[in-house]
Amino acid sequence: MTGVVPDGAVPPAPVLVGCSHGTDSVAGRAAIRSILDGVRAARPGLDVREAFVDVQQPEVADVIAAATTGGGAAVVVPLLMSTGFHARVDIAAAVQGRRAAASRTLGPDDRLVQILLDRLRQAGAGAGDAVVLAAAGSSDPLAAAMVEQSVEALRRAWQDGPVTVGYGSASLPRIADAVEQARRAGAARVVAASYLLAPGFFHDRVSAAGADVVTAPLAPDPRLVEIVLDRYAEASALLPDA
């Protein structure tokens, strides 16, 4: 019968459910898919499924229900930069009452900062440039605190100019205001460092905020695959026994 493991047999690993926000952007969908494709390549045989909290299907609750039917287990890895409503409400509700767990979000993580540094260099940022870390934004105070951790880490790592933060929605300052503040502070050039996984609605807002240079989103990058697998391993250890 499905879900029953014979004595002495090793139970299958929990299904890894990579849950993103969802986007109408074709390029954005491809960027998110690249992360999960990288996970599949790194862990052949691991059941990796895609889920969403908005815009796209299937919904995360439906994916978790299917993965845990018959005694199976699942771990949701939020493909989100920080916590907020979707992580603390949508994803939390999807795992509640099932043999499932939700991991931490991707950020904050030092590897994300290293990707940001690479994106800044690739965009041609250099000495004297002011950097605005451009995040999506959330009304959740914990989300803002998590973004601030990444801002502080980027300040320590980026030695070529000041680093501030701007948000696409909900939180202040907004990205355009942060760019303008950097100019008023004397920056000859302002670089918006996209703290987003993929192209889409929020990256369009970053691009329209008036910065002289806008970096590419973080995906694709093999370090994102490493983070996803680390989050999966951490949450797998928290799963209740069958």
Side-chain angles (χ1 to χ4, degrees):
M1 187 172 74
T2 303
V4 176
V5 179
D7 290 342
V10 177
V15 173
L16 189 160
V17 180
C19 182
S20 61
H21 180 276
T23 177
D24 289 324
S25 167
V26 173
R29 292 182 179 191
I32 296 299
R33 197 173 300 117
S34 75
I35 302 172
L36 296 183
D37 286 344
V39 171
R40 293 184 182 100
R43 287 283 303 273
L46 179 62
D47 189 346
V48 179
R49 306 184 192 183
E50 195 169 27
F52 306 94
V53 292
D54 200 0
V55 184
Q56 292 178 250
Q57 297 289 328
E59 294 182 1
V60 62
D62 294 337
V63 176
I64 292 298
T68 56
T69 296
V75 167
V76 183
V77 178
L79 303 180
L80 304 169
M81 303 308 296
S82 58
T83 193
F85 182 86
H86 292 308
R88 299 178 74 178
V89 177
D90 294 329
I91 293 175
V95 301
Q96 187 174 13
R98 299 190 176 274
R99 190 162 175 254
S103 80
R104 295 185 288 138
T105 55
L106 301 185
D109 192 288
D110 288 342
R111 287 165 290 191
L112 295 177
V113 175
Q114 292 304 311
I115 299 172
L116 281 168
L117 289 173
D118 285 349
R119 296 293 181 269
L120 285 165
R121 297 184 187 106
Q122 290 161 4
D129 291 340
V131 172
V132 174
L133 185 141
S138 171
S139 59
D140 188 330
L142 181 56
M146 294 170 78
V147 172
E148 288 291 343
Q149 289 183 51
S150 295
V151 174
E152 287 298 328
L154 186 59
R155 283 192 184 115
R156 292 191 296 269
W158 178 256
Q159 300 295 317
D160 290 328
V163 176
T164 56
V165 65
Y167 297 95
S169 69
S171 303
L172 296 175
R174 296 298 169 85
I175 300 165
D177 293 334
V179 168
E180 182 58 29
Q181 289 166 12
R183 285 214 172 87
R184 288 202 301 266
R189 195 168 73 148
V190 181
V191 180
S194 182
Y195 191 59
L196 302 166
L197 282 180
F201 177 80
F202 281 109
H203 189 70
D204 289 345
R205 285 197 169 184
V206 178
S207 298
D212 299 289
V213 178
V214 176
T215 68
L218 303 183
D221 191 280
R223 286 163 290 193
L224 295 171
V225 173
E226 294 175 6
I227 297 171
V228 168
L229 286 171
D230 285 351
R231 298 292 185 265
Y232 170 78
E234 291 170 4
S236 293
L238 302 177
L239 280 170
D241 294 332

Tab-separated table of all heavy atoms in Angstrom, residues 187-211:
chain	number	residue	atom	x	y	z
A	187	ALA	N	26.155	61.249	-4.371
A	187	ALA	CA	26.600	60.162	-5.245
A	187	ALA	C	26.538	60.597	-6.707
A	187	ALA	O	25.525	61.129	-7.162
A	187	ALA	CB	25.735	58.923	-5.042
A	188	ALA	N	27.622	60.378	-7.423
A	188	ALA	CA	27.633	60.693	-8.848
A	188	ALA	C	26.832	59.669	-9.641
A	188	ALA	O	26.260	59.990	-10.687
A	188	ALA	CB	29.071	60.738	-9.361
A	189	ARG	N	26.813	58.440	-9.128
A	189	ARG	CA	26.069	57.378	-9.814
A	189	ARG	C	25.439	56.472	-8.764
A	189	ARG	O	26.054	56.162	-7.738
A	189	ARG	CB	27.007	56.574	-10.713
A	189	ARG	CG	26.273	55.696	-11.718
A	189	ARG	CD	27.192	55.149	-12.776
A	189	ARG	NE	28.069	54.112	-12.271
A	189	ARG	CZ	28.503	53.083	-12.990
A	189	ARG	NH1	28.138	52.964	-14.263
A	189	ARG	NH2	29.312	52.186	-12.463
A	190	VAL	N	24.200	56.054	-9.023
A	190	VAL	CA	23.475	55.194	-8.092
A	190	VAL	C	23.167	53.874	-8.786
A	190	VAL	O	22.659	53.856	-9.916
A	190	VAL	CB	22.162	55.848	-7.613
A	190	VAL	CG1	21.451	54.931	-6.616
A	190	VAL	CG2	22.437	57.217	-7.000
A	191	VAL	N	23.482	52.793	-8.084
A	191	VAL	CA	23.248	51.448	-8.608
A	191	VAL	C	22.181	50.774	-7.754
A	191	VAL	O	22.318	50.690	-6.529
A	191	VAL	CB	24.538	50.605	-8.583
A	191	VAL	CG1	24.268	49.208	-9.148
A	191	VAL	CG2	25.653	51.294	-9.362
A	192	ALA	N	21.119	50.316	-8.392
A	192	ALA	CA	20.086	49.552	-7.688
A	192	ALA	C	20.457	48.078	-7.766
A	192	ALA	O	20.502	47.497	-8.857
A	192	ALA	CB	18.722	49.792	-8.303
A	193	ALA	N	20.751	47.484	-6.614
A	193	ALA	CA	21.102	46.064	-6.531
A	193	ALA	C	19.824	45.277	-6.299
A	193	ALA	O	19.243	45.326	-5.212
A	193	ALA	CB	22.100	45.823	-5.407
A	194	SER	N	19.381	44.573	-7.303
A	194	SER	CA	18.096	43.870	-7.253
A	194	SER	C	18.180	42.689	-6.288
A	194	SER	O	18.822	41.683	-6.576
A	194	SER	CB	17.712	43.387	-8.653
A	194	SER	OG	16.466	42.745	-8.636
A	195	TYR	N	17.490	42.819	-5.146
A	195	TYR	CA	17.444	41.741	-4.156
A	195	TYR	C	16.181	40.923	-4.424
A	195	TYR	O	15.302	40.774	-3.577
A	195	TYR	CB	17.441	42.345	-2.758
A	195	TYR	CG	17.659	41.358	-1.633
A	195	TYR	CD1	18.808	40.592	-1.570
A	195	TYR	CD2	16.727	41.223	-0.618
A	195	TYR	CE1	19.016	39.693	-0.526
A	195	TYR	CE2	16.923	40.332	0.434
A	195	TYR	CZ	18.075	39.567	0.463
A	195	TYR	OH	18.277	38.677	1.507
A	196	LEU	N	16.118	40.420	-5.637
A	196	LEU	CA	14.973	39.665	-6.124
A	196	LEU	C	15.492	38.437	-6.857
A	196	LEU	O	16.560	38.473	-7.462
A	196	LEU	CB	14.135	40.512	-7.077
A	196	LEU	CG	13.595	41.834	-6.521
A	196	LEU	CD1	13.085	42.709	-7.659
A	196	LEU	CD2	12.478	41.572	-5.507
A	197	LEU	N	14.707	37.371	-6.819
A	197	LEU	CA	15.156	36.154	-7.478
A	197	LEU	C	15.058	36.246	-8.994
A	197	LEU	O	15.907	35.685	-9.704
A	197	LEU	CB	14.325	34.953	-7.001
A	197	LEU	CG	14.668	34.364	-5.644
A	197	LEU	CD1	13.740	33.199	-5.351
A	197	LEU	CD2	16.125	33.905	-5.597
A	198	ALA	N	14.044	36.909	-9.514
A	198	ALA	CA	13.729	36.761	-10.925
A	198	ALA	C	13.105	38.016	-11.500
A	198	ALA	O	12.593	38.868	-10.768
A	198	ALA	CB	12.759	35.585	-11.094
A	199	PRO	N	13.121	38.143	-12.831
A	199	PRO	CA	12.391	39.237	-13.471
A	199	PRO	C	10.899	39.112	-13.187
A	199	PRO	O	10.383	38.034	-12.903
A	199	PRO	CB	12.672	39.015	-14.970
A	199	PRO	CG	13.884	38.158	-15.026
A	199	PRO	CD	13.839	37.297	-13.798
A	200	GLY	N	10.216	40.242	-13.287
A	200	GLY	CA	8.788	40.248	-13.036
A	200	GLY	C	8.346	41.605	-12.522
A	200	GLY	O	9.030	42.617	-12.708
A	201	PHE	N	7.211	41.618	-11.839
A	201	PHE	CA	6.584	42.858	-11.393
A	201	PHE	C	7.520	43.731	-10.571
A	201	PHE	O	7.670	44.926	-10.843
A	201	PHE	CB	5.335	42.517	-10.581
A	201	PHE	CG	4.640	43.708	-9.994
A	201	PHE	CD1	3.807	44.495	-10.762
A	201	PHE	CD2	4.816	44.042	-8.652
A	201	PHE	CE1	3.158	45.600	-10.221
A	201	PHE	CE2	4.171	45.142	-8.107
A	201	PHE	CZ	3.345	45.924	-8.893
A	202	PHE	N	8.166	43.152	-9.559
A	202	PHE	CA	8.995	43.972	-8.679
A	202	PHE	C	10.307	44.386	-9.345
A	202	PHE	O	10.804	45.495	-9.116
A	202	PHE	CB	9.256	43.257	-7.355
A	202	PHE	CG	8.093	43.334	-6.408
A	202	PHE	CD1	7.325	42.218	-6.132
A	202	PHE	CD2	7.743	44.529	-5.806
A	202	PHE	CE1	6.238	42.292	-5.278
A	202	PHE	CE2	6.664	44.626	-4.947
A	202	PHE	CZ	5.899	43.497	-4.689
A	203	HIS	N	10.873	43.521	-10.172
A	203	HIS	CA	12.100	43.936	-10.869
A	203	HIS	C	11.790	45.072	-11.842
A	203	HIS	O	12.622	45.966	-12.035
A	203	HIS	CB	12.733	42.756	-11.601
A	203	HIS	CG	14.091	43.080	-12.142
A	203	HIS	ND1	15.194	43.269	-11.325
A	203	HIS	CD2	14.526	43.293	-13.416
A	203	HIS	CE1	16.247	43.558	-12.070
A	203	HIS	NE2	15.861	43.588	-13.338
A	204	ASP	N	10.604	45.061	-12.425
A	204	ASP	CA	10.207	46.189	-13.278
A	204	ASP	C	10.155	47.479	-12.466
A	204	ASP	O	10.536	48.555	-12.966
A	204	ASP	CB	8.841	45.917	-13.911
A	204	ASP	CG	8.888	44.828	-14.974
A	204	ASP	OD1	9.991	44.483	-15.430
A	204	ASP	OD2	7.807	44.312	-15.335
A	205	ARG	N	9.699	47.387	-11.224
A	205	ARG	CA	9.680	48.574	-10.359
A	205	ARG	C	11.098	49.059	-10.061
A	205	ARG	O	11.356	50.269	-10.021
A	205	ARG	CB	8.955	48.263	-9.049
A	205	ARG	CG	7.452	48.190	-9.188
A	205	ARG	CD	6.748	48.305	-7.855
A	205	ARG	NE	5.315	48.481	-8.039
A	205	ARG	CZ	4.452	48.687	-7.054
A	205	ARG	NH1	4.889	48.749	-5.796
A	205	ARG	NH2	3.176	48.840	-7.305
A	206	VAL	N	12.007	48.114	-9.844
A	206	VAL	CA	13.410	48.489	-9.618
A	206	VAL	C	13.944	49.214	-10.847
A	206	VAL	O	14.595	50.262	-10.743
A	206	VAL	CB	14.261	47.242	-9.308
A	206	VAL	CG1	15.727	47.644	-9.136
A	206	VAL	CG2	13.763	46.545	-8.049
A	207	SER	N	13.669	48.682	-12.016
A	207	SER	CA	14.177	49.260	-13.262
A	207	SER	C	13.621	50.661	-13.516
A	207	SER	O	14.272	51.480	-14.169
A	207	SER	CB	13.828	48.344	-14.436
A	207	SER	OG	14.438	47.073	-14.280
A	208	ALA	N	12.424	50.928	-12.984
A	208	ALA	CA	11.772	52.214	-13.224
A	208	ALA	C	12.039	53.237	-12.121
A	208	ALA	O	11.468	54.335	-12.147
A	208	ALA	CB	10.262	52.008	-13.367
A	209	ALA	N	12.906	52.897	-11.172
A	209	ALA	CA	13.092	53.755	-9.994
A	209	ALA	C	14.107	54.866	-10.195
A	209	ALA	O	14.327	55.659	-9.272
A	209	ALA	CB	13.492	52.894	-8.794
A	210	GLY	N	14.739	54.948	-11.367
A	210	GLY	CA	15.616	56.078	-11.653
A	210	GLY	C	17.085	55.866	-11.363
A	210	GLY	O	17.867	56.828	-11.467
A	211	ALA	N	17.497	54.663	-11.006
A	211	ALA	CA	18.913	54.404	-10.785
A	211	ALA	C	19.675	54.460	-12.102
A	211	ALA	O	19.103	54.218	-13.179
A	211	ALA	CB	19.110	53.036	-10.126
